[in-house]
Amino acid sequence: VADLPGAMMLAEIREQPEALERLLEQELDRVRALAAAARQRRISLLFLAARGTSDHAAVYAKYLCEILAGLPAALAAPSVFTLYDAEVRLDHALVLGISQSGRAADAIEVLRRAREAGQLTGSITNDPDSPMAAAAEHSLCCRAGVERSLPATKTYTTSLALVYALAALLAGREELLDDLRRAPDLVRQALALEPQIAEGAERYRYMEECVVLARGLNQCSALEAALKLSETSYLRAHAYSASDFLHGPIAIVEDGYPCLLFAPSGRGLQPMMEVADELEKREAELLVLSDDPAMLKRARTPLPMPAAPEWLTPLVGIVVAQLFAYHLARVKGRDPDRPRGLKKVTHTF
Amino acid sequence: VADLPGAMMLAEIREQPEALERLLEQELDRVRALAAAARQRRISLLFLAARGTSDHAAVYAKYLCEILAGLPAALAAPSVFTLYDAEVRLDHALVLGISQSGRAADAIEVLRRAREAGQLTGSITNDPDSPMAAAAEHSLCCRAGVERSLPATKTYTTSLALVYALAALLAGREELLDDLRRAPDLVRQALALEPQIAEGAERYRYMEECVVLARGLNQCSALEAALKLSETSYLRAHAYSASDFLHGPIAIVEDGYPCLLFAPSGRGLQPMMEVADELEKREAELLVLSDDPAMLKRARTPLPMPAAPEWLTPLVGIVVAQLFAYHLARVKGRDPDRPRGLKKVTHTF
């Protein structure tokens, strides 16, 4: 395997259970300290600064903190700070930067200003020696080990794990960490499905574009799956909230148009069934990523995932999408480790 | 003109100066009342609930309120409320719904809950008798008259005008309303450029996809221009923040790939020049919407707009994009008034 194109990406996808185990062993106390500081300061806003794949972890953080902890969350528009030099009043906010490399310059700038102004700051990065980790008062580490492949995989799922732990503790729901402790095994179960996922990829050798749809909490999954497909296979893969998609963009769907539905069990499942109804009327080609047998049966290409606690479905399900993206790139003769025109570190001009 | 396909859209694009004048005459006192209530309650968060085109007005609101008033702003994920039944703590928020029709069910639900919980609520709609206007304590009306064409035009620019007035007054900067009073004339100047814009559209008869890029405050313009192109011409037009685009999606750009740059004068102009540098290296086809002569010179197809105060460039510039979308649809033999698969009112399953 080591010499094949994409060998690093595949190895890193497979390392995820161990990375999550390390995180569970070594990082939860730091998350507890950040949650305690947030409670002590009675924060009333989560203000998230991130870019790229990390932006999708921020979307997960917004949904989960609002749902579990009732804490309103805003995604920062970094240019408000870097381009317009605005002074945004964040006195009662937790300002949280997310960057796998810890080198996203404009997200660091948002943190730096917040900390200077005496606001509570935290970071999620995979490098405890990075500028972002240094910029935040509370720095949380993914513990994913060095990520060498360009498409982020293990740093994404470990970022989600930290976000999940933070949301649970901000909500004062320590018992939700029990579910998180199951994550390594759930990811192992997802990895065991690789043969079926690889087989499903073959058919899409000549697919040039597709849409990825999800509802609710799995919005982050649609965004991340579309990015992985775009990065590794030069597909035009675009993510939509399923409800937005039905009110306009669905016009592009004709006979055979490929639509990947991210539809794990949970409150988003029924709405996604209704999306499948609409797409079937237009004779779309359905790829369905789900643990639900009835939902999977709707698909031309079922992409099964293990059943998981609802709040963890984005973490577990994305592993299936990573495997699909890897195998699709191989089927297309691409090297997913070295996508054309991509650099690992995000910096902003 | 009345019998041509798209006659309603064109008429409504041309009505925008009068709609803005009505708004300036009739609506500013209501905006003042809302801003005063917000100051009195010392709100520390703007929480925005919107869908579709109105979501782009919400993006404008986020940037402008953070830049001018230092007020952090969050875009609601309506499913947090409707699907997960979350109780988000919005005690010190102004919850602002935006919907042209006033019938976006999930945004109305966010407002309804907020008002029940005693929070400050406002709405921006084009129908003062709509359920959204009834749901909010302070309802602001676009005063655009009935919009009959499916693609929103005059309701979008008038929504931006209300957002601008609100941001200026929340910032306590009454003098910024003087610039807003120039908006009708600036839009008239944009409309006068129609012959050149129509001529520019001809070349794109067979364009099937493109990207629309902007930086900073004009992010809303990239989103809205991409939506107008998608709705009226069934293009796959996708909007990106220019900085996100450079770190990944730019991989799709090859010789002749069409890129529309939304690049008016202001702090976003220099970064957009650098984007043009990158795209020229890849021999992309550049369409440039700008008032800056040097920037326009970079374009294969220049789409000129009148010079405008920086904070108003999204309102003035989008008129040029509307005209381009209209004429492109005509060149492609489409009827922009009746896009395939689109309904006017957004409702969420």
Side-chain angles (χ1 to χ4, degrees), chain A residues 51 62 69-70 75 79 83-84 89 209 216-217 236 238 240 243-244 247-248 251 267 271 340 342 347 349, chain B residues 51 62 69-70 75 79 83-84 89 209 216-217 236 238 240 243-244 247-248 251 267 271 340 342 347 349:
Chain A
R51 280 265 184 220
K62 173 174 169 70
L75 273 68
S79 67
L83 208 54
Y84 298 98
R89 294 191 303 274
E209 60 174 279
L217 182 68
R236 269 85 82 194
H238 290 285
Y240 293 92
S243 37
D244 286 342
H247 300 109
R267 290 169 187 75
R340 186 174 65 191
L342 257 194
H347 67 97
F349 56 92
Chain B
R51 280 267 184 218
K62 173 175 169 69
L75 273 67
S79 67
L83 207 55
Y84 299 97
R89 295 191 303 274
E209 60 173 279
L217 181 69
R236 270 86 81 193
H238 291 285
Y240 293 92
S243 38
D244 286 343
H247 300 109
R267 290 168 187 76
R340 184 174 67 190
L342 256 194
H347 67 96
F349 54 93

Side-chain angles (χ1 to χ4, degrees), chain A residues 43-45 47 51-52 55 62-63 66-67 69-84 86-90 106 209 215-218 227 231 234-238 240-244 246-254 257 267-268 271-272 274-275 282 310-311 340-343 345-349, chain B residues 43-45 47 51-52 55 62-63 66-67 69-84 86-90 106 209 215-218 227 231 234-238 240-244 246-254 257 267-268 271-272 274-275 282 310-311 340-343 345-349:
Chain A
I43 62 148
S44 58
L45 176 66
F47 198 76
R51 280 265 184 220
D55 211 19
K62 173 174 169 70
Y63 278 85
E66 291 189 347
I67 292 171
L71 178 67
L75 273 68
S79 67
V80 165
F81 301 85
T82 55
L83 208 54
Y84 298 98
E87 292 188 20
V88 182
R89 294 191 303 274
L90 296 170
D106 51 5
E209 60 174 279
R215 183 88 171 101
L217 182 68
N218 273 289
L227 180 63
E231 284 178 344
Y234 313 150
L235 273 183
R236 269 85 82 194
H238 290 285
Y240 293 92
S241 134
S243 37
D244 286 342
L246 292 185
H247 300 109
I250 195 171
I252 63 172
V253 174
E254 297 172 317
Y257 190 88
R267 290 169 187 75
M272 289 306 290
E274 294 167 29
V275 173
R282 290 159 192 261
E310 181 167 5
W311 314 132
R340 186 174 65 191
L342 257 194
K343 287 182 220 127
V345 174
T346 297
H347 67 97
T348 306
F349 56 92
Chain B
I43 63 148
S44 59
L45 176 66
F47 199 76
R51 280 267 184 218
D55 212 19
K62 173 175 169 69
Y63 277 85
E66 291 189 346
I67 293 171
L71 179 67
L75 273 67
S79 67
V80 164
F81 301 86
T82 56
L83 207 55
Y84 299 97
E87 291 189 21
V88 182
R89 295 191 303 274
L90 296 170
D106 51 4
E209 60 173 279
R215 182 86 172 104
L217 181 69
N218 272 289
L227 179 64
E231 284 178 343
Y234 313 149
L235 271 182
R236 270 86 81 193
H238 291 285
Y240 293 92
S241 133
S243 38
D244 286 343
L246 292 185
H247 300 109
I250 195 171
I252 63 173
V253 174
E254 298 173 317
Y257 191 89
R267 290 168 187 76
M272 290 306 290
E274 293 166 30
V275 173
R282 290 158 191 261
E310 181 166 6
W311 313 132
R340 184 174 67 190
L342 256 194
K343 288 181 218 127
V345 174
T346 297
H347 67 96
T348 304
F349 54 93

Side-chain angles (χ1 to χ4, degrees), chain B residues 47-50 76 78 81-82 90 94-99 102 104-125 130-139:
Chain B
F47 199 76
L48 295 148
F81 301 86
T82 56
L90 296 170
L94 162 56
V95 180
L96 183 66
I98 311 181
S99 164
D106 51 4
I108 293 170
E109 178 65 15
V110 175
L111 278 176
R112 200 190 53 72
R113 289 174 178 231
R115 194 172 181 182
E116 258 181 35
Q119 296 148 9
L120 181 63
T121 52
S123 70
I124 291 179
T125 82
S130 64
M132 180 178 278
E137 185 182 351
H138 294 261
S139 65

Side-chain angles (χ1 to χ4, degrees), chain B residues 119-166:
Chain B
Q119 296 148 9
L120 181 63
T121 52
S123 70
I124 291 179
T125 82
N126 192 36
D127 180 358
D129 300 322
S130 64
M132 180 178 278
E137 185 182 351
H138 294 261
S139 65
L140 310 178
C141 180
C142 292
R143 304 276 175 186
V146 175
E147 188 167 60
R148 294 189 302 150
S149 186
L150 284 178
T153 54
K154 60 182 180 173
T155 55
Y156 177 69
T157 45
T158 48
S159 295
L160 294 197
L162 289 169
V163 164
Y164 177 98
L166 180 61

Side-chain angles (χ1 to χ4, degrees), chain B residues 159-345:
Chain B
S159 295
L160 294 197
L162 289 169
V163 164
Y164 177 98
L166 180 61
L169 293 168
L170 286 173
R173 295 182 58 183
E174 179 84 27
E175 81 279 8
L176 287 174
L177 295 185
D178 293 341
D179 283 342
L180 187 61
R181 291 190 185 93
R182 293 177 53 206
D185 271 342
L186 290 167
V187 170
R188 272 189 200 99
Q189 291 171 38
L191 293 172
L193 298 165
E194 185 177 347
Q196 186 174 348
I197 297 161
E199 201 186 301
E202 187 78 16
R203 176 176 171 88
Y204 301 97
R205 169 68 176 86
Y206 291 99
M207 175 167 69
E208 292 188 346
E209 60 173 279
C210 67
V211 295
V212 187
L213 305 176
R215 182 86 172 104
L217 181 69
N218 272 289
Q219 192 52 34
C220 59
S221 308
L223 292 163
E224 177 64 8
L227 179 64
K228 286 305 95 136
L229 290 168
S230 302
E231 284 178 343
T232 56
S233 294
Y234 313 149
L235 271 182
R236 270 86 81 193
H238 291 285
Y240 293 92
S241 133
S243 38
D244 286 343
F245 188 72
L246 292 185
H247 300 109
I250 195 171
I252 63 173
V253 174
E254 298 173 317
D255 180 25
Y257 191 89
C259 301
L260 170 54
L261 275 53
F262 214 105
S265 294
R267 290 168 187 76
L269 180 58
Q270 183 54 38
M272 290 306 290
M273 291 265 194
E274 293 166 30
V275 173
D277 293 343
E278 282 302 311
L279 293 171
E280 279 168 7
K281 278 184 211 159
R282 290 158 191 261
E283 302 187 55
E285 163 114 2
L286 297 190
L287 300 90
V288 174
L289 199 163
S290 182
D291 58 297
D292 181 77
M295 189 72 206
L296 285 168
K297 226 174 255 173
R298 311 283 295 261
R300 176 62 182 77
T301 300
L303 298 170
M305 64 175 276
E310 181 166 6
W311 313 132
L312 280 175
T313 51
L315 191 163
V316 178
I318 201 64
V319 174
V320 174
Q322 293 167 348
L323 287 168
F324 183 72
Y326 164 80
H327 283 285
L328 181 60
R330 299 284 292 114
V331 163
K332 283 176 165 281
R334 309 287 195 177
D335 179 356
D337 284 333
R338 296 176 192 79
R340 184 174 67 190
L342 256 194
K343 288 181 218 127
K344 184 87 182 163
V345 174

